[in-house]
Amino acid sequence: MPSLRRSAGWPGTVPRALSRPSPHRLLGRLTAAPTRTDLIAGLVTALALIPETISFSIVAGVDPRIGLLSSFTFSVVIAIVGGRPAMVSAAAGSMALVAAPLVRSHGFEYLIVATVLAGLVQIGLARAGIAQLLTRLPTGVTLGFVNGLAILIFLAQMRHLVSVTVVVLALAGVAILFAGRARSIRFPPSLLSTTVLTVAAVGLALGVPTVGDEGTLPTGLPPLHVPDVPFAWATLWAVLPTAVSLAAVGLVESLLTAGLIDRETGTDSPKRREAYGQGVANVVTGFFGGQPGCAMIGQSLLNVETGGRGRLSTLAAGAWLLVLVVLLHPLMEVLPMAALVATMIVVALTTFDWGSVAPGRVRRVPVAETAVMVLTTAVVVATSNLAYGVAAGAALAWAWSVRSRRTGEPAAAAADADGVGSA
């Protein structure tokens, strides 16, 4: 996978800012990276968060305004208590898929209870050290996870390409992004592309779909909210299966994303602390009447690619999101979806590990590793659920390892747990 550090094209990309910050100084933790770079990276990330969050809220059967405000609270909390600087967490699609059946059968108030309970389960798993187990996955699984994610990000953009005009705008945006990356311009290419396409769409009155067409934007801060459900054992049993699933899916996706950002930046991050932070963020978001969240992989990569290096970039993404949708919603509503689609297409293309499918590598690595990678990718794409793909790939790697031991053959490299980072 090409290193994002080479293509950021932005000053202050030295990974020193991603070293573990002092836990005793909140201000120091949040401003560990160059302030201007992190603030601009947060702005670009917030622009990409808006349509994705709205779409995921619709998938979950939730009002888009709730999803946007949930993303704000989640980003702010995780910036303070999480373990991976520059990683962005919000109301994610994988969590929406798990939450949708509960919303359909019992209503949104039950989802709030499930969100809080999922956070408590994640905190318990973090304290029990389960994060260390989740980070030790075979090479084939991690490659399949990354490639499946890239394909999902790319496919998710296709529904927005509704006309020839939109396609032309999106391709123009992709061209601007790649040109900006190639020339290493100081202005963030994503922000440049969004600005150019917005001016073109508005100035030429092209009539293309905009962010405002995706859903209603909120007009205020999220209030504290106590779920309106019966406080009885029946309520607990109704939400418990969903809460456990949310906790597991959220941790798998968040810890694998943290490992991906670790490798892209050449730094390390405490996975147990990240698992704990995800739990705290879900609990807080739940009590503000929000939907569950976890790491947003595409947005996290975009944040790092644009130059985000410290916790301030994550906090800025949440803060910019609130400013954009609450204070500047008239401006946000005219942004063409084509501009955001172009940004996410480039993220998908740079996320895919093209080296993993190179003929030379396929001939060189064990068949087991390739098989595990292909299975993981296929299940992720088929189910749109990263956790299912990881589980399927890990099961195949384990089965192959057992077979190798029984037959006396050398254990396949695919079964070697190289992990995604330290716990």
Side-chain angles (χ1 to χ4, degrees):
M1 182 186 302
S3 173
L4 296 179
R5 288 174 292 169
R6 294 196 300 269
S7 60
W10 190 249
T13 57
V14 180
R16 175 188 61 183
L18 281 174
S19 60
R20 296 184 183 181
S22 169
H24 307 294
R25 297 179 182 273
L26 174 60
L27 182 61
R29 291 212 304 264
L30 293 178
T31 58
T35 303
R36 185 183 65 171
T37 305
D38 278 346
L39 289 176
I40 294 180
L43 172 59
V44 173
T45 304
L47 290 171
L49 271 174
I50 293 173
E52 295 286 306
T53 299
I54 292 174
S55 299
F56 296 151
S57 296
I58 294 173
V59 168
V62 175
D63 189 323
R65 289 172 291 186
I66 292 175
L68 290 166
L69 294 177
S70 299
S71 296
F72 159 70
T73 58
F74 213 101
S75 295
V76 170
V77 173
I78 204 66
I80 299 172
V81 300
R84 172 69 265 179
M87 191 168 80
V88 178
S89 296
S94 58
M95 303 292 266
L97 290 170
V98 176
L102 180 65
V103 176
R104 286 195 299 267
S105 60
H106 290 83
F108 175 68
E109 295 294 324
Y110 278 76
L111 178 59
I112 296 176
V113 178
T115 300
V116 174
L117 185 56
L120 294 175
V121 171
Q122 289 177 326
I123 292 173
L125 293 176
R127 293 184 63 86
I130 196 67
Q132 184 172 2
L133 298 178
L134 292 175
T135 59
R136 302 192 180 281
L137 292 171
T139 301
V141 174
T142 56
L143 289 174
F145 166 83
V146 170
N147 292 345
L149 162 70
I151 294 172
L152 285 182
I153 293 174
F154 183 84
L155 293 178
Q157 311 312 311
M158 296 301 101
R159 70 180 185 87
H160 298 295
L161 303 179
V162 297
S163 68
V164 175
T165 303
V166 174
V167 172
V168 171
L169 277 178
L171 291 177
V174 171
I176 293 172
L177 285 163
F178 275 116
R181 290 156 59 92
R183 294 181 176 275
S184 299
I185 61 175
R186 295 178 63 85
F187 194 76
S190 297
L191 196 54
L192 175 62
S193 171
T194 301
T195 302
V196 171
L197 295 192
T198 301
V199 171
V202 175
L204 299 176
L206 298 178
V208 294
T210 65
V211 170
D213 297 328
E214 292 293 301
T216 305
L217 302 181
T219 57
L221 291 169
L224 286 171
H225 180 80
V226 177
D228 183 17
V229 299
F231 285 87
W233 285 109
T235 300
L236 176 62
W237 293 124
V239 303
L240 185 59
T242 300
V244 173
S245 297
L246 288 171
V249 170
L251 282 185
V252 169
E253 187 163 350
S254 298
L255 295 177
L256 286 178
T257 303
L260 178 61
I261 300 300
D262 286 351
R263 291 195 298 274
E264 289 298 326
T265 57
T267 61
D268 191 20
S269 61
K271 303 304 181 295
R272 178 177 293 187
R273 176 174 168 179
E274 180 58 37
Y276 176 82
Q278 291 289 325
V280 172
N282 270 309
V283 170
V284 172
T285 299
F287 279 117
F288 277 95
Q291 67 188 77
C294 67
M296 299 280 282
I297 307 170
Q299 280 74 13
S300 296
L301 290 170
L302 177 61
N303 184 42
V304 173
E305 183 179 57
T306 312
R309 289 297 181 270
R311 297 175 185 276
L312 182 61
S313 64
T314 305
L315 181 68
W320 277 119
L321 178 65
L322 187 68
V323 170
L324 292 173
V325 301
V326 174
L327 300 182
L328 302 178
H329 64 272
L331 175 61
M332 293 283 51
E333 289 175 348
V334 302
L335 286 181
M337 286 300 302
L340 305 181
V341 167
T343 298
M344 297 310 297
I345 286 177
V346 172
V347 169
L349 293 175
T350 55
T351 298
F352 194 91
D353 192 333
W354 298 99
S356 67
V357 295
R361 183 185 184 280
V362 173
R363 289 193 298 268
R364 185 174 65 253
V365 302
V367 174
E369 181 173 315
T370 301
V372 169
M373 179 186 71
V374 171
L375 177 64
T376 303
T377 302
V379 174
V380 166
V381 174
T383 64
S384 298
N385 192 310
L386 297 166
Y388 290 167
V390 169
L396 178 60
W398 175 81
W400 203 294
S401 178
V402 171
R403 175 185 176 277
S404 297
R405 288 196 297 267
R406 287 179 177 176
T407 59
E409 299 174 0
D416 293 338
D418 66 345
V420 294
S422 63

